[in-house]
Amino acid sequence: MNRRSFVRKSSLLAAGSLALPQISKSHNPPFSAMPVIVSTWDFGKAPHEAAWNAISKKGSALDACIAGVKVVEADETNHSVGIGGYPDRDGHVTLDACVMNEQGNCGGVFFVEEILHPSELARMVMEKTPHVYLAGQGAVQFALEQGFKKQNLLTTEAKEEWEKWCKQTNYKPRPMDEKNHDTVGMIAIDKLGNLSGCCSTSGWAYKMHGRVGDSPNIGSGLFVDNEIGAATSTGLGEYIIKICGAHLIVESMRNGRTPQEACEAACLRISSKYKNYKDFQACFIALGKDGTVGAYSLNKGFQYTVTTNGETLVYDAEYLE
Ligand code: SD4
């Protein structure tokens, strides 16, 4: 297994990249000063700024995660979350999201169209209904009742890409590649040591109409146990679901693994069960009750972003080799 560990300043914070000394396996310092906010990939400075503002103004960890995720959902330039997301193979942008808080309460929305902020909607499912999940038209109907407005989420750019894709293929979903996935999962611990998380995606580009991945599924795309820690995922949802990735990680932490070790163990679970693991990506981030961060991916290329002490850095995750 590759134990190289690169830490680099984000290009969004510093011109060029700067290799720093190796960080410890468990990623202990410098993340032990709470609050800590961790998210998948590098979606730029703005989501973490929004999350940090919320958490430092006495917002809860959940307020922070939703504030951060909403920035990504509203950003038309990424093609994997919210507006601007690539549509399914029939040309519909369908969104999935979930939230989980420190009380162990959770909510999720699946297969939602024309609603800009499925993360906020997932929170309303958690807070205002007796249910955990709402899907499709029912979720949209609930959104409208809660004052959300319908909006077209298929941008001209995404529509053009989909039209090109329609000409080139046999109308099969395009396998996920590096350019074709980037779900945002954000987990945070506030000053009081309370953990929460939120995950949001437009899913697998050109997926079958109705397909739902790991991201809105509590236990696969996100899991929080306030006594232990939190985890979230990105990558090919079909495989993350098969191992209940986020729940597996939190349970590994309960059994004594560090967040880093737990993320590695989840990737090893996939690679030991699915021999084609080199053909797809699965990535995990985790946050322990003490503010310790872990991250790991099945294959090269995963990045994650951490904010603590008001400073945001992007890291290249280690991966299986
Ligand atoms: C899904 N996990 O729908 C999501 C996609 C993703 O990075 O994470 N892309 O399967």
Side-chain angles (χ1 to χ4, degrees), residues 54-115:
I55 218 164
S56 36
K57 287 187 188 133
K58 297 209 181 123
S60 65
L62 185 64
D63 293 332
C65 291
I66 293 179
V69 165
K70 282 174 77 172
V71 173
V72 186
E73 288 172 340
D75 177 1
E76 291 189 15
T77 63
N78 79 67
H79 300 301
S80 46
V81 182
I83 190 165
Y86 286 142
D88 64 17
R89 63 182 192 174
D90 296 358
H92 299 268
V93 178
T94 72
L95 304 179
D96 304 321
C98 71
V99 296
M100 191 157 185
N101 70 10
E102 73 281 357
Q103 288 158 349
N105 289 325
C106 50
V109 291
F110 293 51
F111 186 52
V112 173
E113 293 185 49
E114 299 184 298
I115 298 295

Side-chain angles (χ1 to χ4, degrees), residues 109-112 121 125 134-145:
V109 291
F110 293 51
F111 186 52
V112 173
L121 186 59
V125 172
L134 288 179
Q137 274 313 310
V140 173
Q141 187 187 325
F142 173 65
L144 299 178
E145 285 163 14

Side-chain angles (χ1 to χ4, degrees), residues 116-190:
L116 180 61
H117 290 303
S119 58
E120 191 70 54
L121 186 59
R123 180 183 201 155
M124 290 199 176
V125 172
M126 175 178 82
E127 291 178 349
K128 301 195 171 181
T129 81
H131 306 305
V132 169
Y133 296 139
L134 288 179
Q137 274 313 310
V140 173
Q141 187 187 325
F142 173 65
L144 299 178
E145 285 163 14
Q146 295 301 317
F148 287 72
K149 299 277 175 269
K150 275 194 180 184
Q151 143 173 17
N152 174 32
L153 303 178
L154 183 62
T155 57
T156 309
E157 195 190 337
K159 186 163 184 252
E160 281 170 7
E161 284 302 312
W162 168 69
E163 282 165 351
K164 272 191 234 155
W165 174 84
C166 285
K167 284 188 201 133
Q168 283 169 14
T169 71
N170 292 328
Y171 197 65
K172 283 187 189 147
R174 183 176 85 187
M176 271 192 182
D177 57 35
E178 272 186 19
K179 291 189 204 132
N180 183 11
H181 62 83
D182 267 352
T183 291
V184 61
M186 190 176 272
I187 47 182
I189 187 162
D190 65 19

Side-chain angles (χ1 to χ4, degrees), residues 25 29 63 100 130 142 154 214 222 238 251 272 284 302 308:
K25 267 193 208 174
D63 293 332
M100 191 157 185
F142 173 65
L154 183 62
D214 57 318
L222 175 71
E238 278 70 3
E251 289 307 296
S272 64
F284 300 98
F302 178 47
T308 191

